[in-house]
């Protein structure tokens, strides 16, 4: 079943990153991070929140680690699910500042899409478009590129610019093939 495949994938990831951790706390934070990720994918947000908080507790002093940034981003997504957009925006912006110290372009591009989505919810379409374009420019060869194009296509359609919307959708689908 899907649950067993997720657990198997988690186990493989844990084994592959075990050598990258230098303490039990680091390994435990990684484990709780992935448990939170599984709970989020199953829309078990209460459990996800618990594992996020536990992971962040274990990451004290390691706030500029990739796992810390990813856990914060998921926390922002949880706040977004709860329609707490301003709080979600603040958490995602803080995660982006920490990510700049790490320099992970993929995280930055993906986070730009999340921030763009929240900007739309808050009625700031100009900022949303800027963030979606930023995601496209940051990492045009990753999965975030077609996702950003699709968001922009919806915005262009809503503006009544169907030609631009179709063009963006064609570009997005061409990358996905």
């Amino acid at each position: 079943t899907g649950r067993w495949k997720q657990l198997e994938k988690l186990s493989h990831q844990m084994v592959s990153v075990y050598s990258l951790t230098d303490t039990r706390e680091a390994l435990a934070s990684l484990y709780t991070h992935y448990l939170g990720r599984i709970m989020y994918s199953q829309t078990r947000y209460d459990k996800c929140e618990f594992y996020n908080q536990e992971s962040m507790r274990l990451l004290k002093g390691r706030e500029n680690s990739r796992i810390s940034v990813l856990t914060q981003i998921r926390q922002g997504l949880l706040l977004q699910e709860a329609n707490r957009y301003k709080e979600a925006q603040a958490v995602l912006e803080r995660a982006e500042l920490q990510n700049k110290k790490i320099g992970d372009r993929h995280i930055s591009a993906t986070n730009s899409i999340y921030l763009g989505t929240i900007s739309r919810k808050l009625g700031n379409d100009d900022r949303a478009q800027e963030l979606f374009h930023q995601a496209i420019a940051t990492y045009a060869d990753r999965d975030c590129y077609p996702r950003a194009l699709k968001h922009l296509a919806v915005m262009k359609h809503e503006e009544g610019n169907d030609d631009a919307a179709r063009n963006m959708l064609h570009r997005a689908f061409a990358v996905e093939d």
Side-chain angles (χ1 to χ4, degrees):
T1 66
R3 177 180 287 167
W4 289 111
K5 286 185 181 188
Q6 283 183 322
L7 288 173
E8 182 181 17
K9 183 178 178 183
L10 170 66
S11 298
H12 289 289
Q13 289 170 334
M14 293 297 296
V15 170
S16 68
V17 299
Y18 180 75
S19 63
L20 301 176
T21 62
D22 57 352
T23 67
R24 268 193 186 156
E25 289 79 16
L27 184 60
S29 70
L30 186 65
Y31 182 69
T32 56
H33 166 81
Y34 280 109
L35 286 172
R37 189 170 160 183
I38 290 170
M39 294 299 117
Y40 186 85
S41 70
Q42 295 177 351
T43 66
R44 296 179 63 194
Y45 300 131
D46 57 331
K47 290 285 189 184
C48 178
E49 172 76 19
F50 169 79
Y51 287 120
N52 274 5
Q53 295 303 321
E54 184 63 12
S55 182
M56 294 308 293
R57 183 187 69 75
L58 292 164
L59 286 165
K60 287 285 188 217
R62 298 169 186 269
E63 286 81 8
N64 294 327
S65 70
R66 187 172 193 275
I67 294 298
S68 177
V69 171
L70 291 171
T71 302
Q72 283 187 58
I73 288 172
R74 192 175 42 256
Q75 186 64 31
L77 295 176
L78 283 170
L79 291 166
Q80 180 183 354
E81 288 290 331
N83 298 323
R84 294 164 56 187
Y85 301 119
K86 291 244 184 230
E87 292 172 76
Q89 184 178 40
V91 169
L92 293 173
E93 286 172 349
R94 194 168 44 252
E96 185 58 29
L97 287 175
Q98 288 181 324
N99 184 56
K100 287 188 187 310
K101 296 173 187 172
I102 299 167
D104 189 315
R105 293 174 50 192
H106 181 63
I107 290 174
S108 182
T110 303
N111 200 29
S112 290
I113 293 171
Y114 299 147
L115 283 165
T117 302
I118 290 171
S119 291
R120 285 206 73 202
K121 295 280 188 187
L122 294 173
N124 191 345
D125 285 355
D126 291 340
R127 178 70 177 139
Q129 285 190 38
E130 178 185 319
L131 287 159
F132 295 141
H133 282 292
Q134 183 179 325
I136 291 167
T138 300
Y139 230 138
D141 61 339
R142 296 292 291 259
D143 65 329
C144 55
Y145 177 73
R147 285 180 21 215
L149 281 171
K150 289 173 187 175
H151 281 286
L152 284 169
V154 168
M155 293 181 80
K156 291 297 178 188
H157 171 71
E158 289 172 355
E159 292 170 0
N161 191 346
D162 288 337
D163 290 338
R166 267 191 295 280
N167 182 337
M168 288 179 179
L169 286 175
H170 286 294
R171 286 171 48 203
F173 293 133
V175 172
E176 289 180 330
D177 288 340

